[in-house]
Amino acid sequence: MQRSAVIAFCFGLLALPAAGFAQQPENIVLNDKDVKQLTPHVWAIYGNPNIGIVVGSKGTLVVDTGLGKRNGTTVDAVMEKLRKGKLYLATTHFHPEHVTGQSGFPADTVVIRNIAQQKELEESGAGMIDFFRSRSDVNKELLVDAGIDKADILFDNEMTLDLGDVTVRMVYFGPAHTNGDIVFFVEPEKVMISGDIVQNKFTILPIGTKTTIKGWISVLDRAAELKPALILPDHSPPGDSAMFAEQRAYMVDLLAQTQAAKSQGKSVEDAVKVVTAELQTKYPGWLRPGNATRAITMAYKEAP
Ligand SMILES: [Zn+2]
């Protein structure tokens, strides 16, 4: 397929998955019916989180697993109907809904992670699983036998996976939402599976021990240089590269307004109140507005 035809295919389907997504944005139990083909080689399972499946002529890559073994088994069943060749699994970051379904995959799955993400998983994964268990009975049940899994292939900053007629670049740009988040860039379609690094009108949640808002903005800028035609984020609907400018504007505003509040002598608590209200007026309807508390608190610490 010609590149222009591939890109047209992307945009032609763009309206459909977003409409389907709106019905079940918070579905922690993934449903094998919520599957959409986005481009010739890329499928998504919409849920919490969205799962990416890239099918090439010689191999298949699944990105993220869902929460716990049961969701991993659902993802595996969807993937098996599409699968060609060797099976690879990679994860956007170490949080439980992205990694703990690994045990639901076949034993011969080749698991790939960047070193920073695997380190963070081993250092902080167990605590995060306990936190997720405490959030609801459903989570507790899904995570009943969850543990910290290994990877078969570890890479430092970048690795390209050749799946035959499609390739996937996996790139680590540095700490963003967590210390170890990566993006996936699928060619020839120019689809980015972006995890939490860039999302669609979704309030940022800076949570890594090495995360700074300024650092995340520079990660955002480097990811934008890949110029994706279609972006599949993990907790919001798919969109196009306008997502970069929107999220960047939000982050720059958040930093500037927090810095102004701090320089006026406001406490961190008052800065959270004032800046949250300003952001909600300027960016109405963004998902997970409660995340702003953590983001503004971090921006306050970063401000001179
Ligand atoms: Zn996360």
Side-chain angles (χ1 to χ4, degrees):
M1 188 181 286
Q2 294 294 310
R3 175 158 293 192
S4 57
V6 169
I7 292 168
F9 189 89
C10 296
F11 286 113
L13 282 185
L14 206 53
L16 287 175
F21 181 92
Q23 294 159 14
Q24 302 210 22
E26 296 293 339
N27 192 359
I28 196 71
V29 179
L30 299 172
N31 186 330
D32 63 5
K33 304 282 187 293
D34 294 333
V35 181
K36 288 279 190 300
Q37 185 174 10
L38 302 182
T39 67
H41 297 102
V42 182
W43 280 257
I45 305 172
Y46 291 131
N48 182 13
N50 298 325
I51 307 294
I53 303 174
V54 185
V55 183
S57 55
K58 293 195 312 198
T60 300
L61 169 69
V62 175
V63 178
D64 287 349
T65 67
L67 189 73
K69 185 175 183 177
R70 179 174 155 198
N71 280 311
T73 304
T74 301
V75 173
D76 179 58
V78 171
M79 182 282 303
E80 285 295 348
K81 290 183 191 157
L82 305 168
R83 178 178 177 175
K84 289 180 195 159
K86 208 171 177 64
L87 174 59
Y88 300 90
L89 169 66
T91 52
T92 57
H93 63 288
F94 84 102
H95 285 157
E97 76 273 39
H98 303 273
V99 300
T100 52
Q102 185 171 323
S103 57
F105 282 71
D108 64 346
T109 307
V110 178
V111 180
I112 306 171
R113 263 190 284 273
N114 52 316
I115 291 167
Q117 183 183 160
Q118 185 67 33
K119 183 167 184 282
E120 198 174 19
L121 175 62
E122 288 170 12
E123 287 174 357
S124 308
M128 200 53 87
I129 288 170
D130 283 343
F131 171 66
F132 269 64
R133 282 183 178 130
S134 74
R135 291 168 85 183
S136 75
D137 288 344
V138 175
N139 281 7
K140 198 172 173 185
E141 173 68 29
L142 289 168
L143 289 169
V144 66
D145 51 4
I148 303 304
D149 293 310
K150 299 268 181 237
D152 301 296
I153 298 173
L154 289 168
F155 69 93
D156 194 358
N157 293 321
E158 181 161 350
M159 176 176 162
T160 298
L161 188 61
D162 180 0
L163 299 175
D165 56 353
V166 61
T167 61
V168 185
R169 280 172 72 188
M170 296 171 270
V171 193
Y172 174 56
F173 292 118
H177 163 61
T178 63
N179 295 347
D181 314 60
I182 58 172
V183 298
F184 299 77
F185 190 62
V186 181
E187 293 177 292
E189 279 109 315
K190 293 178 173 285
V191 173
M192 180 176 284
I193 301 170
S194 63
D196 271 66
I197 288 177
V198 61
Q199 291 220 61
N200 200 344
K201 297 182 172 61
F202 185 96
T203 310
I204 60 160
L205 183 64
I207 201 169
T209 55
K210 296 178 182 169
T211 298
T212 63
I213 311 277
K214 282 182 190 144
W216 190 343
I217 290 172
S218 60
V219 167
L220 197 66
D221 289 346
R222 291 185 64 196
E225 286 169 10
L226 294 171
K227 300 194 188 316
L230 174 66
I231 302 171
L232 175 66
D234 55 358
H235 299 298
S236 50
D240 62 24
S241 59
M243 284 162 59
F244 284 109
E246 280 181 346
Q247 184 172 316
R248 191 181 204 286
Y250 180 98
M251 293 171 84
V252 168
D253 263 345
L254 185 145
L255 273 178
Q257 290 176 21
T258 306
Q259 188 169 331
K262 188 174 178 179
S263 67
Q264 289 159 14
K266 287 193 168 64
S267 67
V268 65
E269 293 79 12
D270 286 345
V272 166
K273 276 185 207 144
V274 170
V275 177
T276 297
E278 286 175 14
L279 289 171
Q280 285 186 2
T281 303
K282 194 162 175 186
Y283 301 91
W286 279 45
L287 298 167
R288 309 270 182 98
N291 290 353
T293 299
R294 181 180 279 270
I296 295 162
T297 303
M298 183 172 282
Y300 192 93
K301 282 189 202 135
E302 280 178 48

